[in-house]
Amino acid sequence: MSNSRGVAAGRRGQLFIVSAPSGTGKTTLVERLVQVVPNLKMSRSYTSRTARTGEQDGVDYNFISRERFESMVRGNEFLEWADVFGNYYGTCSADTERDLTAGQDVVLVIDVQGARQVRSRGIETIGIFVLPPSAATLEQRLRGRSKDSEEQIGRRLDVARREVDEFERYEYVVINDEVDAAVDRLRAIILAERGRVRAMRSAAQDVIKTFAEESGPAA
Ligand code: 5GP
C-alpha cells in the first residue's frame, strides 16, 4: 500500500548520491531538497576536518579526530571514505543501513571518489551530478564565499576540472544555474525514481492481489 507521503509502505529506502565540485552549491541544494521532499534524509558524514564557524558537531558533520577516523576505517565501519583536500570524509555503513531498512530514502552528498566506492560494492544507487553553469561561475562562487585562500581556490579548481569529467558515471545531471529551479529538478528526479516499478513492485502487487480477491464468475 502507498502511504500519504507517496512512498510504498514497507519498502526499503532508495540510496541517492549527489556529487559536484566544491563550490557548486550542492549542500545548499540538498538541504533545500530534503525540506520539500518527505521521507528523504541527507546523510551525516564523519570528517576529520575541524568545524568551520557556524558548523555544529552532529548537525553538519560528525567531527572526529584523524585517529578515530583511522580506527573506524580499520574496523570497516565506512560504506565509503575519501581523503578530500587533506581531510578524511566518510559515510558510516551502519547509519545508512539503519535508515534504508526503516524505509527512508537517503542522499549521500559525497565526492566522486566516494561515489565510485559505493558503486563498486554493487549497491544500487541513483547518482546525480551537479554542475555549475561554467568554470568562471564556479571560480566566482569560490571567491565569493571567502572561506579559502588563493592557493586553496586554485587547488579546488584543479580538482573540479578532473571531477567534472566523471558526470557520465551518474544517472542524472543538474546544472545549478538558479537555486529554486535546480531544487525543482532534483525533486522531480527523486519523485520519478520513487515511481519506478522496482520501487513500487510490492505496493503494486498488493493492489493486484485485490483484483484476484474480487474477481469471481460474472453472474
Ligand atoms: P567540505 O569540507 O567543504 O564540507 O567538503 C569537502 C568535500 O568533501 C565536498 O566535495 C563533499 O562532497 C565531500 N564530502 C563530504 N562528506 C563526504 C563523505 O562522507 N564522503 C566523501 N567521499 N566525500 C564527502
Side-chain angles (χ1 to χ4, degrees), residues 12-172:
R12 184 176 163 83
Q14 290 177 287
L15 188 58
F16 294 90
I17 294 182
V18 172
S19 300
S22 171
T24 308
K26 61 184 177 299
T27 310
T28 306
L29 292 182
V30 176
E31 278 169 0
R32 294 270 299 271
L33 178 68
V34 297
Q35 283 169 12
V36 295
V37 177
N39 202 52
L40 181 70
K41 182 174 177 178
M42 181 168 160
S43 163
R44 187 180 313 115
S45 298
Y46 287 70
T47 183
S48 68
R49 86 154 160 75
T50 46
R52 298 186 185 120
T53 314
E55 283 182 334
Q56 271 180 279
D57 184 30
V59 177
D60 299 283
Y61 283 103
N62 294 307
F63 293 99
I64 58 173
S65 67
R66 287 185 79 84
E67 293 68 34
R68 169 97 181 92
F69 198 101
E70 284 163 4
S71 120
M72 287 178 75
V73 170
R74 284 193 299 276
N76 208 14
E77 290 182 55
F78 289 116
L79 177 62
E80 62 72 37
W81 68 274
D83 183 328
V84 186
F85 306 117
N87 292 304
Y88 295 136
Y89 295 85
T91 307
C92 173
S93 295
D95 292 354
T96 312
E97 188 51 37
R98 186 196 55 229
D99 291 335
L100 294 175
T101 306
Q104 181 117 57
D105 289 341
V106 177
V107 193
L108 309 182
V109 184
I110 60 178
D111 83 324
V112 296
Q113 311 172 63
R116 263 190 252 135
Q117 288 172 49
V118 180
R119 282 187 219 109
S120 73
R121 285 174 179 261
I123 296 169
E124 214 167 273
T125 58
I126 301 129
I128 308 169
F129 199 89
V130 179
L131 280 169
S134 68
T137 320
L138 181 64
E139 187 167 349
Q140 260 171 24
R141 284 184 190 160
L142 285 172
R143 284 188 205 292
R145 66 182 194 176
S146 66
K147 283 198 255 190
D148 305 308
S149 65
E150 273 305 303
E151 191 202 333
Q152 281 172 322
I153 290 174
R155 263 169 65 204
R156 285 183 195 273
L157 288 171
D158 285 343
V159 172
R161 260 175 226 116
R162 289 198 298 275
E163 287 181 336
V164 292
D165 284 337
E166 295 257 338
F167 83 92
E168 290 201 80
R169 292 174 189 260
Y170 291 70
E171 278 68 40
Y172 296 92

